[in-house]
Amino acid sequence: MFVLGILFFISLLKGSQSYLKLPLGTQRFNFKKNEYHKKIKLDLPEQQMSIVKKINGFYGLIGPDVKMKDANNIYKLFMGDGIIQGCFFDNGELTFTRQYVKTDKLLYEEKNGKIPQNNFYHLLFMLLNEVKLLPNILGLGNTVIMKIKNFSRGINNPQNRFYALYERDLPYEINIDFINKQISTIGKVDIYGLKHFSAHSIVNDERDMVESIDYDVMKNHFIYHLLNNDLQLYKTINIKTQYMPVIHDFISTNYSVIFTDSPLTMEHSKMNVNEIPVSLVVGKPTFINVLNKVSSDVSKYKFNNSFYIFHYAQWEEDDYHISIYA
């Protein structure tokens, strides 16, 4: 009876909306108040202006929208809503734009109020997102813009598609409108078989393939995904890790996928104190895993010191060695 009562209560809250309407009691998110679109007047000498007129296109950046005064730790610097800001160049005419990625989270906050930033609401949203009753609170679209070339118009006339990414969510397709000098969100791309799409996914236009990764901290699995350029899943490989995997980045060579298995552990005693209660266990070895893309075999290389790699910068490979810069 108790379970039936809970389900009845949820159904009343949900009504005809796609998500539960929680009484958050906070100010609603206002896109118009926080977005900008305006032309920039240039007063430059003729010689410099002639250079500007030769520049055409869009120069922009994507990142988390964070108020620095509220970011009292490093974790919060990464947790702002995704925002794209930059400038369109068109024969000397400049247009500045600042547009949010219209994620499920932000659209929910526009209707219901901003989600309080505390552990109770984080846990509530994460649990109910698993059953599609609330949006993904980690759906931020704030890390990178991925470009995929679509050659449906011919090899000499590719139609580029753009996606805003965040590693604990699926991609959001965005439209960069060079005619009207606008950026808009088309919507989230549901990929059958995937829950998350890495913000460090790799596009191979020559092979019309996209490589992505995920990880499962409950099963200790590193997950490698291969998709076509329409973001349809082609192949998945699961690899058992030695430790709890929180794998942010990876390397893809012609024949291999490389990732680091670091000695990370969950500090349950600090879950109410730290935003991310995870620490590196000093003294335990670190493993570099090399997945063969053809055979799916995995080679493990053991290092006796403890380290974690956040981003890979560059790699070099020959017949005998792989050198990694990170």
Side-chain angles (χ1 to χ4, degrees):
M1 291 296 291
F2 176 77
V3 174
L4 290 174
I6 291 292
L7 292 175
F8 177 73
F9 176 69
I10 287 176
S11 67
L12 288 177
L13 281 174
K14 190 171 183 181
S16 60
Q17 296 187 22
S18 57
Y19 291 122
L20 294 179
K21 185 176 181 180
L22 296 180
L24 297 176
T26 56
Q27 185 178 2
R28 294 181 180 184
F29 188 85
N30 189 329
F31 286 106
K32 291 183 179 180
K33 181 180 177 181
N34 294 285
E35 293 183 328
Y36 302 97
H37 184 79
K38 59 184 178 182
K39 291 186 177 181
I40 298 174
K41 293 183 179 180
L42 293 180
D43 185 14
L44 295 175
E46 185 178 345
Q47 184 178 5
Q48 295 180 16
M49 195 64 196
S50 65
I51 297 173
V52 174
K53 288 181 179 180
K54 295 178 182 178
I55 303 170
N56 290 287
F58 175 73
Y59 175 81
L61 298 171
I62 187 171
D65 185 35
V66 177
K67 293 181 179 179
M68 297 302 294
K69 64 181 180 64
D70 297 332
N72 54 10
N73 58 51
I74 292 177
Y75 172 74
K76 289 184 178 178
L77 290 176
F78 295 91
M79 297 307 294
D81 294 300
I83 192 164
I84 302 169
Q85 47 195 346
C87 198
F88 286 94
F89 290 77
D90 186 7
N91 297 315
E93 182 182 276
L94 275 63
T95 305
F96 173 76
T97 188
R98 182 179 191 266
Q99 303 289 322
Y100 283 91
V101 181
K102 306 295 192 296
T103 61
D104 290 347
K105 171 184 175 289
L106 275 186
L107 292 174
Y108 183 86
E109 291 184 326
E110 183 185 34
K111 290 182 178 180
N112 302 287
K114 299 187 75 172
I115 302 167
Q117 297 299 307
N118 60 56
N119 289 339
F120 170 77
Y121 277 97
H122 279 205
L123 181 61
L124 177 66
F125 271 78
M126 290 176 70
L127 289 175
L128 293 186
N129 175 248
E130 291 294 321
V131 290
K132 311 297 183 184
L133 291 176
L134 287 175
N136 182 3
I137 200 171
L138 296 179
L140 301 171
N142 70 13
T143 305
V144 71
I145 298 176
M146 179 180 72
K147 180 177 75 172
I148 298 179
K149 291 182 179 180
N150 185 340
F151 294 99
S152 58
R153 295 182 178 178
I155 195 166
N156 295 320
N157 187 25
Q159 181 183 12
N160 295 326
R161 287 174 296 162
F162 301 93
Y163 301 90
L165 307 181
Y166 184 78
E167 70 172 49
R168 305 318 292 164
D169 198 8
L170 291 167
Y172 281 86
E173 186 172 3
I174 59 175
N175 178 43
I176 302 178
D177 185 346
F178 293 94
I179 297 176
N180 297 307
K181 316 296 189 302
Q182 293 275 9
I183 294 174
S184 59
T185 304
I186 297 172
K188 182 188 281 191
V189 180
D190 289 320
I191 305 173
Y192 181 78
L194 264 66
K195 291 181 65 178
H196 307 124
F197 189 88
S198 172
H200 293 282
S201 297
I202 296 171
V203 178
N204 189 327
D205 287 320
E206 293 180 1
R207 297 183 179 180
D208 292 336
M209 288 293 178
V210 180
E211 296 172 272
S212 189
I213 63 169
D214 196 3
Y215 53 85
D216 188 330
V217 297
M218 303 302 293
K219 296 180 180 179
N220 279 17
H221 275 178
F222 168 85
I223 307 165
Y224 170 73
H225 297 299
L226 185 64
L227 307 94
N228 63 22
N229 67 354
D230 288 320
L231 295 184
Q232 296 170 327
L233 186 61
Y234 172 73
K235 181 180 179 182
T236 293
I237 300 174
N238 285 270
I239 299 170
K240 186 74 174 177
T241 59
Q242 186 80 15
Y243 307 109
M244 180 183 71
V246 182
I247 299 165
H248 185 70
D249 199 3
F250 70 108
I251 292 174
S252 175
T253 73
N254 289 331
Y255 303 103
S256 303
V257 173
I258 303 167
F259 68 95
T260 306
D261 185 8
S262 301
L264 299 176
T265 185
M266 180 74 74
E267 298 180 294
H268 297 285
S269 61
K270 297 183 179 179
M271 291 189 70
N272 293 327
V273 180
N274 295 344
E275 298 280 358
I276 305 182
V278 176
S279 65
L280 186 73
V281 181
V282 178
K284 284 194 173 184
T286 303
F287 296 89
I288 301 289
N289 293 262
V290 181
L291 166 67
N292 187 299
K293 293 181 181 179
V294 179
S295 67
S296 297
D297 293 333
V298 180
S299 301
K300 291 179 180 285
Y301 298 89
K302 180 180 178 181
F303 293 80
N304 288 324
N305 51 338
S306 311
F307 60 87
Y308 177 82
I309 292 179
F310 187 56
H311 285 152
Y312 295 95
Q314 187 179 350
W315 55 268
E316 296 174 359
E317 183 180 34
D318 58 31
D319 292 339
Y320 303 99
H321 300 93
I322 299 175
S323 299
I324 298 171
Y325 300 83

